[in-house]
Amino acid sequence: MIAVALNGAGLQIGQSRILYPFSLRLEAGECVAIIGPSGAGKTSLLRLLGTELRGEGELALWGEDPWALSTRARQRLRSRIGMVWQQPPLPASQPVVTAVLAGRLGQWSLARSLLSLLRPCDPDGARAELARLGLADKWQQHCGELSGGQLQRVGIARVLYQQPDLMLADEPVSALDPVLAQSSLDALLAQARTRGSTLIASLHAVDLALERFPRIIGLREGRVQFDSPATAVTPAMLAALYAGEQEALPCSG
């Protein structure tokens, strides 16, 4: 089943061209990494796929055009999408357990959602996801007490708990050391394999992308430079993608 389909999709904001028109197909269960220099349009592409931005051309998620749906139906569709941000928008005063459980607010009834904000309704479930990311002892702390790397892992735990059909991760491990970065990505990849979810992650660390993801999309200045199996990505392709950007290709170590 095709989970994500873009046809002639592009994005322009004001006078700025962010993404040039391109087409893309992703099957359910595919895991894809998006790489490229800063300002390439990686975050904008994820926001386009997550229906946070409306662009040109056609977008279909599981065969449906989200912009042709009613507001309520579009919200139901969005509940199937989980977003991991580079800097998760988690209130400092929010307990970690509540932040994780919020992943399912879009799937629960209004009454259960409000109740969970006051008194966590599934603390065991939240702790289980935090434990996968080495944060089992942080569940009762407040988000403001955590480091940037810990907050990133809370954001990942939130999406793992949500169990969405499409996971969009924007530089999800940028604040983590190499070991934690690998284990955190592996948790997302394992979730995708177990549930048949589609995972699309933008990554600064090229080595992690090539080691962990079977399909790589190279993006530069809003244009797709290549869409290839990881095994087919050559040093020459990477050099062209990052040409003039920095002395060495970004890596996790």
Side-chain angles (χ1 to χ4, degrees):
M1 177 183 181
I2 300 298
V4 177
L6 291 173
N7 184 25
L11 180 65
Q12 182 162 331
I13 300 178
Q15 299 299 312
S16 300
R17 169 60 63 178
I18 310 299
L19 293 169
Y20 289 85
F22 69 102
S23 296
L24 178 68
R25 296 288 186 277
L26 297 174
E27 293 186 9
E30 268 202 89
C31 296
V32 181
I34 305 171
I35 62 173
S38 298
K42 301 187 294 295
T43 298
S44 295
L45 174 54
L46 293 177
R47 294 181 67 192
L48 192 70
L49 295 173
T51 72
E52 291 190 22
L53 295 174
R54 184 172 184 177
E56 309 150 351
E58 300 174 358
L59 166 64
L61 299 174
W62 307 287
E64 293 190 285
D65 176 358
W67 303 110
L69 300 175
S70 66
T71 299
R72 177 173 291 185
R74 188 160 57 248
Q75 286 300 114
R76 285 198 298 269
L77 189 74
R78 284 174 174 162
S79 72
R80 300 175 66 184
I81 303 171
M83 187 77 193
V84 182
W85 296 102
Q86 182 176 9
Q87 296 179 317
L90 303 175
S93 60
Q94 187 175 54
V96 169
V97 62
T98 304
V100 174
L101 294 178
R104 290 194 192 170
L105 292 183
Q107 303 168 20
W108 290 341
S109 66
L110 178 60
R112 185 175 185 184
S113 297
L114 292 174
L115 181 61
S116 184
L117 291 174
L118 297 173
R119 182 176 181 178
C121 60
D122 184 20
D124 290 341
R127 286 201 300 268
E129 300 302 346
L130 289 166
R132 293 173 65 182
L133 298 159
L135 294 172
D137 60 333
K138 304 295 184 184
W139 71 283
Q140 288 183 308
Q141 292 189 228
H142 290 84
C143 291
E145 299 171 338
L146 304 185
S147 67
Q150 289 170 336
L151 284 174
Q152 279 196 328
R153 283 183 284 160
V154 171
I156 293 173
R158 177 174 175 154
V159 167
L160 294 177
Y161 182 76
Q162 179 185 349
Q163 298 185 345
D165 296 313
L166 173 60
M167 295 184 286
L168 305 173
D170 184 25
E171 300 286 1
V173 295
S174 59
L176 304 182
D177 65 46
V179 174
L180 284 175
Q182 292 173 20
S183 63
S184 298
L185 273 184
D186 286 345
L188 287 168
L189 289 162
Q191 180 93 324
R193 287 192 297 268
T194 300
R195 299 198 68 256
S197 304
T198 303
L199 170 62
I200 309 170
S202 71
L203 293 172
H204 177 73
V206 174
D207 57 344
L208 277 181
L210 295 175
E211 290 169 2
R212 292 307 202 267
F213 288 80
R215 180 176 173 185
I216 308 293
I217 295 174
L219 197 62
R220 179 185 173 93
E221 296 178 348
R223 300 181 188 272
V224 174
Q225 302 297 303
F226 58 81
D227 182 351
S228 306
T231 53
V233 176
T234 65
M237 293 164 66
L238 295 175
L241 184 66
Y242 290 94
E245 295 297 327
Q246 49 201 38
E247 293 181 1
L249 293 177
C251 63
S252 61

